[in-house]
Amino acid sequence: MDRLENVVRERLRFAARTPVRRGVLRELGLGDADLRRLVRRKHLHHHHGHYLDGRVDVHLAVIACAAAAYPGSVVSHFSAARLAGLRVWTDARRSSAVPIDATWLTWPPTAMRNQRRPDVVVRRPGLPPGDVSHHDQLSVTSLARTVVDLARELPVREAIVTVDHALFLGTPVTELQAVVARQQRWPGSLNARAAIDFGDARSESVLESLARRAFAAAGLPAPELQVQFFDGFGWMPERVDFYWPRFRTVAEADGLAKYEADTPAERRRRMRRSHRRDQRLADRGVELVHFGWEDAVATSSDLSARLRAAFIRGTSRTTAAPTWRVAPRDPAQVA
């Protein structure tokens, strides 16, 4: 920017607030060498034939430039989910995995046919005004529409992750149901409806959502989520991920990240804390089953067998059943 005349610099800053084509910047007095230098020094982004102020976040810049390349389009699907901070998980082992890193756009049905490239995917379904929202200066699909679009695009197990997170964030299930009702004849609408019906706002992670689906697929009864136990004096601070009261069995979804730390001493401290927590839960007279990613995702997992064995042990206990409740939700979690 230091080589540009002051007038040109100011014009550029004004023009590049939104994606612009090369011709517009040429009219401001910028040559091709200037543009290459500005992109190289990250003063400008250059994507999909458009330039944008380099101070804009790179992911947002890619999406904004792609949307500008398709006038009248609305940012949707995976791109809208990214802008909204929605949780998305796809199984990379699927041969038909969708290009989630591409920019996803929705055009009116009167536009050209659907397009699918490694960097841009364009869909052409109906888009009523109520399904459109805004992010910065971009038109994006509403949260409910984004969730349903993804749920139509993905297998049910993967879609449940996003549905659960939307519910966790406070999206009313009635809004999701209303969107899918308008799409009842669209491809994937049955998948979307199944994912929404299975959704649970109490699932707090990808692993918990996948585990719930694994339990159901194995024919296990649905557990209670986010449960606290009473220790005789008060409600214990620990919340367990899953609890089957009938079988007095707790299941904990443990990603390895909970033990990661910067120092060996901190890792040992976290492990000791986890062991003490397990002991406090065991003192409540329940069976405790820990599982991780492989247990919830792998087709060869023995998780259901381990849980059924725990159910048998739990029902054979003769001591009084523990007092429990679904833990009150912390409003700060949704803020």
Side-chain angles (χ1 to χ4, degrees), residues 158-173:
E158 298 174 18
I160 287 168
V161 171
T162 304
V163 171
D164 281 354
H165 192 217
L167 296 174
F168 175 80
L169 293 175
T171 304
V173 68

Side-chain angles (χ1 to χ4, degrees), residues 17-309:
R17 291 185 303 175
T18 58
V20 291
R21 289 194 175 275
R22 170 178 170 272
V24 174
L25 300 183
R26 292 275 296 181
E27 292 176 359
L28 297 179
L30 292 163
D32 288 341
D34 294 321
L35 294 177
R36 287 193 296 270
R37 183 180 72 254
L38 292 170
V39 171
R40 186 173 61 251
R41 295 185 177 180
K42 303 186 185 304
H43 294 304
L44 285 176
H45 293 290
H46 183 215
H47 306 285
H48 302 286
H50 287 74
Y51 294 86
L52 184 62
D53 192 324
R55 292 171 294 184
V56 175
D57 173 77
V58 62
H59 296 298
L60 180 59
V62 171
I63 293 172
C65 289
Y70 295 84
S73 64
V74 173
V75 180
S76 61
H77 295 78
F78 296 95
S79 300
R82 172 178 288 181
L83 295 179
L86 269 176
R87 188 180 295 144
V88 176
W89 181 84
T90 58
D91 191 341
R93 300 170 300 174
R94 279 198 298 119
S95 58
S96 59
V98 294
I100 63 173
D101 293 328
T103 297
W104 287 66
L105 304 169
T106 291
W107 254 358
T110 54
M112 297 171 60
R113 63 184 181 182
N114 290 339
Q115 298 183 34
R116 177 166 171 168
R117 302 183 347 215
D119 58 342
V120 177
V121 178
V122 181
R123 292 285 187 259
R124 299 185 309 109
L127 196 60
D131 285 353
V132 180
S133 182
H134 293 88
H135 180 94
D136 289 340
Q137 300 181 37
L138 290 173
S139 293
V140 301
T141 48
S142 66
L143 193 66
R145 172 60 186 262
T146 299
V147 172
V148 175
D149 281 347
L150 287 178
R152 288 190 300 105
E153 197 75 38
L154 296 170
V156 173
R157 181 178 70 157
E158 298 174 18
I160 287 168
V161 171
T162 304
V163 171
D164 281 354
H165 192 217
L167 296 174
F168 175 80
L169 293 175
T171 304
V173 68
T174 51
E175 288 189 14
L176 302 180
Q177 292 168 339
V179 174
V180 80
R182 294 196 295 270
Q183 301 180 359
Q184 59 180 330
R185 297 185 182 276
W186 294 12
S189 60
L190 291 180
N191 273 13
R193 190 177 298 277
I196 292 167
D197 290 344
F198 193 78
D200 194 317
R202 296 172 297 173
S203 284
E204 296 182 353
S205 69
V206 174
L207 181 53
E208 289 181 24
S209 296
L210 296 177
R212 289 199 309 112
R213 180 63 177 177
F215 299 154
L220 298 177
E224 298 289 342
L225 278 65
Q226 313 306 334
V227 164
Q228 282 179 304
F229 293 102
F230 191 76
D231 65 1
F233 301 95
W235 293 105
M236 297 169 61
E238 290 88 0
R239 293 185 308 159
V240 301
D241 297 326
F242 305 105
Y243 181 53
W244 287 266
R246 175 184 170 190
F247 305 109
R248 295 174 61 166
T249 296
V250 166
E252 290 282 74
D254 293 330
L256 294 178
K258 68 184 292 185
Y259 299 113
E260 292 178 358
D262 294 332
T263 65
E266 175 61 18
R267 284 194 292 273
R268 289 194 295 270
R269 189 187 71 81
R270 294 186 180 187
M271 292 183 70
R272 287 196 301 271
R273 184 176 61 189
S274 177
H275 293 161
R276 290 195 209 96
R277 180 180 185 275
D278 283 358
Q279 184 59 61
R280 288 193 294 271
L281 291 173
D283 290 343
R284 305 275 66 76
V286 297
E287 294 293 320
L288 182 58
V289 176
H290 286 278
F291 66 93
W293 275 97
E294 295 80 2
D295 301 305
V297 175
T299 54
S300 59
S301 169
D302 65 347
L303 178 58
S304 63
R306 292 168 54 203
L307 286 169
R308 291 182 194 280

